[in-house]
């Protein structure tokens, strides 16, 4: 049965189907709808969006006419909805998610949790006071190969993890097409909200929040400090967020997480490397591979000579061990691993039905979001800032 805290009408939905209202059925919202459509026992019952062309897109996706609203408050006023999905621009997450919580329904909120430090704290306070399921859209928390990889890391398979290097490199402008004419640029700012500081945390928030969350998971704590830099190096098109970022997050015991995102070269793609004292793990969006440190050769005595490629030289100049490892490594086997977003949506429905605590709850959302909020301040000012914790 659905949570007792839901309204009487909601808990009496036909066949105990979870009736979902989606606030913000844009590109990400429609991807979530696709995944929910693959799962039994739920129904996309209503959507809200200020951009009216989304209504027809949702109808086509769902295969029927879905009730729609331009004002999200009208959607929340319905008494027949069992759960709310928030997939609007990050600058609106706090307003929409808090209103949804106060309406008495479980909430699935896309990352990042909020746009400002104050909103991050308010989101946690509101969600925990509401007492309902509140799940973040961190799909890699639900990816089988990431879960197993982190389990092995925490079991000591690569020794002590000390560094995380994360990349999200692309060779495109991160821009979406805008219908014309658009003389006052309203559609431009509505559709390409990710490109403007008024509505977006840029590459660090929209992409890096996933990697920060995995680093927090690996290190079992949030970062304490951040420094970094950003610039617009290629896409001189009026955007106000950087088209590249480099950030360093500091954890206890001197551990570090380094994040890089660029938009003019896709060589590294989207991947994250965890370096430990005895090995390394590479995570991608499809798999995880373990590499292990070779046994260290016995150190040559002081003043000894070695021969490398026919050249006699001092031991301190030996390049042995400096070449990158080119072996195959140990790729994790996670049979029948499903799409992470599908797994994330499946878990949300299970939490709603059974009152379970989400794997990616509001506090996990806080620690990633506050890191990006303070991180962006550090990037634009090229300074180092402490990241506030959550009491």
């Amino acid at each position: 049965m659905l949570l007792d805290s839901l309204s009487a009408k909601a808990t009496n939905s036909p066949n105990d189907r979870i009736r979902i209202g989606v606030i913000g059925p844009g590109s990400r919202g429609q991807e979530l709808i696709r995944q929910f459509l693959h799962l039994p026992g739920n129904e996309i019952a209503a959507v809200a969006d200020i951009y009216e062309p989304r209504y027809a897109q949702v109808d086509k996706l769902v295969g029927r006419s879905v009730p729609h609203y331009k004002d999200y408050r009208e959607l929340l006023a319905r008494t027949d909805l069992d759960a709310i999905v928030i997939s609007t621009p990050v600058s609106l997450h706090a307003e929409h998610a808090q209103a949804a919580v106060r309406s008495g329904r479980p909430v699935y909120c896309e990352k990042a949790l909020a746009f400002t430090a104050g909103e991050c704290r308010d989101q946690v306070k509101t969600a925990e006071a509401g007492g309902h399921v509140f799940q973040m859209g961190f799909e890699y928390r639900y990816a089988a190969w990431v879960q197993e990889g982190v389990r092995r890391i925490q079991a000591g398979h690569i020794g002590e993890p000390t560094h995380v290097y994360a990349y999200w490199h692309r060779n495109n402008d991160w821009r979406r097409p805008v219908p014309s004419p658009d003389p006052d640029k309203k559609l431009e700012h509505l559709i390409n909200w990710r490109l403007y500081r008024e509505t977006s945390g840029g590459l660090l928030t929209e992409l890096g929040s996933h990697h920060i969350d995995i680093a927090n998971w690996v290190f079992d704590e949030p970062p304490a400090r951040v420094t970094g830099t950003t610039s617009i190096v290629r896409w001189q098109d009026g955007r106000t967020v950087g088209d590249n970022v480099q950030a360093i997050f500091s954890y206890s015991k001197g551990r570090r997480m380094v994040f890089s995102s660029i938009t003019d070269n896709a060589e590294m793609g989207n991947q994250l490397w965890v370096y430990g004292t005895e090995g390394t793990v590479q995570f991608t969006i499809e798999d995880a591979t373990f590499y292990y440190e070779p046994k260290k050769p016995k150190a040559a005595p002081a003043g000894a000579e070695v021969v490398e490629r026919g050249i006699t030289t001092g031991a301190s100049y030996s390049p042995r061990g400096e070449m990158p490892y080119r072996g195959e490594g140990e790729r994790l086997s996670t049979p029948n691993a499903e799409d992470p977003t599908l797994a994330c949506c499946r878990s949300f429905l299970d939490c709603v039905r059974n009152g379970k605590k989400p794997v990616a709850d509001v506090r996990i959302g806080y620690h990633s979001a506050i890191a990006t909020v303070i991180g962006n301040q550090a990037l634009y000012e090229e300074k180092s800032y402490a990241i506030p914790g959550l009491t």
Side-chain angles (χ1 to χ4, degrees):
M1 295 296 292
L2 301 181
L3 291 179
D4 292 338
S5 59
L6 298 180
S7 68
K9 277 194 176 182
T11 55
N12 290 325
S13 296
N15 302 317
D16 277 344
R17 294 174 67 81
I18 296 176
R19 293 171 57 83
I20 299 172
V22 180
I23 302 176
S27 59
R28 183 59 184 171
Q30 289 179 38
E31 178 59 24
L32 293 175
I33 290 172
R34 287 187 191 93
Q35 301 303 335
F36 280 118
L37 291 174
H38 287 298
L39 299 170
N42 77 91
E43 174 186 348
I44 305 302
V47 297
D49 202 300
I50 62 173
Y51 187 50
E52 296 182 11
R54 300 293 187 215
Y55 308 154
Q57 294 169 3
V58 171
D59 289 351
K60 182 178 179 181
L61 183 61
V62 176
R64 58 177 171 79
S65 179
V66 177
H68 55 261
Y69 304 91
K70 199 163 187 178
D71 188 332
Y72 75 93
R73 288 166 291 196
E74 294 182 46
L75 180 147
L76 292 178
R78 291 180 56 150
T79 60
D80 63 340
L81 300 179
D82 305 312
I84 306 298
V85 171
I86 309 297
S87 50
T88 48
V90 66
S91 58
L92 298 172
H93 282 184
E95 176 186 345
H96 292 162
Q98 290 181 54
V101 169
R102 293 186 179 112
S103 78
R105 267 72 71 98
V107 172
Y108 180 110
C109 181
E110 264 302 329
K111 54 81 192 162
L113 178 64
F115 194 50
T116 69
E119 288 175 348
C120 288
R121 291 190 295 271
D122 290 344
Q123 286 275 63
V124 176
K125 182 178 179 181
T126 301
E128 293 186 340
H132 307 295
V133 169
F134 192 104
Q135 179 171 315
M136 293 301 306
F138 282 127
E139 63 265 27
Y140 295 112
R141 285 266 175 172
Y142 300 83
W145 59 94
V146 181
Q147 291 178 338
E148 176 61 12
V150 174
R151 186 195 68 78
R152 292 193 185 190
I153 291 170
Q154 294 177 339
H157 285 223
I158 61 168
E160 179 69 19
T162 59
H163 292 81
V164 172
Y165 277 62
Y167 307 89
W168 202 317
H169 290 185
R170 295 171 167 174
N171 198 342
N172 63 61
D173 60 8
W174 210 29
R175 176 174 290 284
R176 292 175 176 169
V178 177
S180 59
D182 183 28
D184 54 6
K185 297 291 184 181
K186 285 186 177 180
L187 290 178
E188 161 64 19
H189 285 267
L190 179 64
I191 294 173
N192 283 309
W193 60 269
R194 290 175 179 84
L195 302 182
Y196 301 97
R197 290 181 64 181
E198 296 85 357
T199 50
S200 173
L203 296 165
L204 184 63
T205 299
E206 292 304 313
L207 305 183
S209 57
H210 287 292
H211 299 88
I212 295 166
D213 180 55
I214 295 176
N216 293 351
W217 190 4
V218 166
F219 291 143
D220 197 27
E221 67 176 18
R225 197 164 192 88
V226 58
T227 187
T229 185
T230 186
S231 67
I232 299 175
V233 67
R234 180 178 181 187
W235 306 109
Q236 308 290 337
D237 56 3
R239 72 184 62 199
T240 55
V241 301
D243 63 11
N244 70 100
V245 301
Q246 300 80 38
I248 302 174
F249 293 89
S250 300
Y251 293 77
S252 67
K253 298 187 288 187
R255 298 173 298 179
R256 298 290 186 266
M257 184 266 197
V258 180
F259 174 71
S260 170
S261 183
I262 62 178
T263 54
D264 56 6
N265 187 294
E267 171 61 26
M268 296 300 288
N270 175 10
Q271 58 179 313
L272 179 144
W273 292 76
V274 181
Y275 297 101
T277 54
E278 298 175 18
T280 305
V281 187
Q282 177 196 26
F283 290 106
T284 76
I285 60 174
E286 295 182 345
D287 54 30
T289 306
F290 278 68
Y291 303 90
Y292 297 98
E293 291 288 289
K295 293 186 180 298
K296 295 179 180 178
K298 188 175 181 180
E305 292 184 340
V306 298
V307 177
E308 295 283 353
R309 298 188 180 184
I311 303 295
T312 301
T313 184
S316 63
Y317 288 95
S318 172
R320 185 175 301 166
E322 299 300 311
M323 281 296 291
Y325 176 72
R326 292 193 171 121
E328 293 183 357
E330 177 196 353
R331 183 173 175 177
L332 285 187
S333 176
T334 50
N336 303 317
E338 65 182 351
D339 177 90
T341 301
L342 178 62
C344 198
C345 293
R346 185 190 302 278
S347 181
F348 177 65
L349 295 178
D350 182 42
C351 288
V352 172
R353 284 196 177 92
N354 299 300
K356 295 180 179 179
K357 179 182 177 181
V359 171
D361 64 11
V362 69
R363 287 185 171 245
I364 283 174
Y366 173 87
H367 290 306
S368 174
I370 195 67
T372 66
V373 169
I374 305 304
N376 273 309
Q377 184 178 358
L379 294 178
Y380 288 112
E381 298 180 14
E382 295 195 345
K383 294 181 179 179
S384 176
Y385 284 104
I387 300 172
L390 185 61
T391 56

